[in-house]
Amino acid sequence: MRVLVVEDDPDLNTQLKTALTDAGYAVDVALDGEEGHFLGDTEPYDAIVLDLGLPKMDGLRVLEAWRSEGRKMPVLILTARDRWSDKVAGMDAGADDYVAKPFHMEEVLARLRALIRRVSGHTTSEITCGSLSLDTRSARVAWDGNPVKLTSHEYRLLAYLMHHQGRVVSRTEIIEHLYEQDFDRDSNTVEVFIGRLRKKLPDNLIETVRGLGYRMASPQSVGDGN
Ligand code: CA
């Protein structure tokens, strides 16, 4: 999952980037409204954290512009605690949720998880496929109840496939949703990571669909782990 943080306070921007990276997301950042608007308009984010008070272009205008351009990604706005009118204006402009400043990082993480889950049609923070379970709160994966140790890139890839199980995900889509903007996007790396996941998990769990991409095996064919 790839997210964008638009926040002009450099310390807060860094804190958000660090916390979201630790939580398993690929994270791009912008420090003003113009750059934030550009990135949100051109890159396929799974969710965006948007401050409202921003230099160059304020957050509400950024959000309105995205929505009028047909960009549908979930947006979590950051508002000042006592400005209830900001929350109303933000929701009216197309925000999906808000967090009031100062906030606890855990609340931002929980709200983002919920937004991303909702978009992909999952209702709980644990996503399963047969005996495979992925806990989006702890970024932990287990097969038949036994923990599976994954690197952060392996986790991101599996989490993306799990959120979109039931459909084929192309390599281009994987690259766009797994890596930060300045990452060296060699499509061979996707194959490498798929190969590593197959070594750590039953190898029929991720299907290759020739010429199209990858898909999680159906829960029935993955079985109950016995
Ligand atoms: Ca601000």
Side-chain angles (χ1 to χ4, degrees), residues 11 16 19 34 81 92 95 97 110 123 143 146 152 155 164 183 196 202 205:
D11 291 339
L16 283 161
E34 264 176 26
R81 177 176 288 280
D92 281 345
D97 202 356
T123 49
W143 172 256
N146 301 310
S152 61
Y155 174 81
H164 298 277
F183 192 88
R196 288 186 194 162
L205 199 61

Side-chain angles (χ1 to χ4, degrees), residues 44-141:
Y45 294 105
D46 295 292
I48 294 179
V49 178
L50 175 69
D51 184 30
L52 289 185
L54 290 169
K56 294 190 184 172
M57 184 172 177
D58 82 65
L60 270 184
R61 276 182 53 219
V62 170
L63 182 57
E64 282 166 354
W66 283 335
R67 294 312 189 214
S68 73
E69 289 147 3
R71 309 290 297 178
K72 295 192 177 73
M73 64 280 171
V75 174
L76 175 71
I77 53 172
L78 304 177
T79 66
R81 177 176 288 280
D82 47 355
R83 294 284 297 273
W84 65 268
S85 57
D86 277 0
K87 296 170 197 163
V88 174
M91 301 307 273
D92 281 345
D96 298 274
D97 202 356
Y98 68 84
V99 172
K101 288 180 179 180
F103 51 77
H104 291 284
M105 198 57 81
E106 280 306 315
E107 185 179 359
V108 172
L109 293 172
R111 289 185 182 277
L112 267 185
R113 279 196 299 273
L115 287 179
I116 290 171
R117 227 163 51 208
R118 220 175 289 155
V119 168
S120 60
H122 296 279
T123 49
T124 61
S125 52
E126 188 180 87
I127 301 175
T128 60
C129 178
S131 295
L132 181 69
S133 66
L134 181 135
D135 188 333
T136 57
R137 284 165 306 187
S138 58
R140 289 205 177 105
V141 172

